[in-house]
Amino acid sequence: MVRHIVSWNYNPDLSPEKRQEVGQLLLERFNALPALIPCLQKLEFFPQAGGQSNCDLILYTEIDTQENLVTYRDHPEHQKVVQIIKEHCCDRRCTDLI
């Protein structure tokens, strides 16, 4: 199993209202992915990181194999979410735990 963890910050010029709107949109889109991408065993998206976090958004996924990490990455539905993130976010950090 691969634990795929990604975090981002919003672009600095986004208003608080736009951050809320984008966070809700991403939450809806990410939550739909497990039904569309069978290799996703678990997906949790946190549109508002809390506490001492140095990032705004966090994604935690569990994917059955390393090969299927590529399947997930390249899946058209995932790519639609990636486009939203590229438009509104920066400072991507990613860790894959195998």
Side-chain angles (χ1 to χ4, degrees):
M1 175 180 20
V2 179
R3 291 175 189 92
H4 177 68
I5 305 164
V6 188
S7 64
W8 306 266
N9 284 316
Y10 287 114
N11 290 332
D13 60 338
L14 284 183
S15 69
E17 296 80 16
K18 188 67 174 178
R19 290 172 187 234
Q20 176 102 15
E21 177 187 323
V22 171
Q24 185 60 40
L25 175 62
L26 288 170
L27 180 64
E28 292 167 9
R29 297 290 178 93
F30 272 123
N31 284 343
L33 291 181
L36 302 169
I37 307 173
C39 63
L40 276 172
Q41 295 182 333
K42 182 175 185 175
L43 184 147
E44 293 181 81
F45 177 69
F46 304 90
Q48 295 179 348
Q52 299 296 315
S53 182
N54 62 357
C55 57
D56 296 322
L57 308 164
I58 301 169
L59 174 69
Y60 174 83
T61 57
E62 293 179 1
I63 301 166
D64 55 0
T65 66
Q66 285 182 277
E67 294 78 17
N68 278 336
L69 183 58
V70 175
T71 301
Y72 165 69
R73 180 194 70 198
D74 295 342
H75 194 281
E77 293 300 323
H78 176 254
Q79 286 301 309
K80 290 177 186 178
V81 179
V82 167
Q83 290 307 310
I84 297 168
I85 291 169
K86 285 182 177 181
E87 184 178 339
H88 300 287
C89 299
C90 61
D91 301 329
R92 179 182 182 270
R93 293 164 214 85
C94 178
T95 301
D96 293 324
L97 304 171
I98 300 168

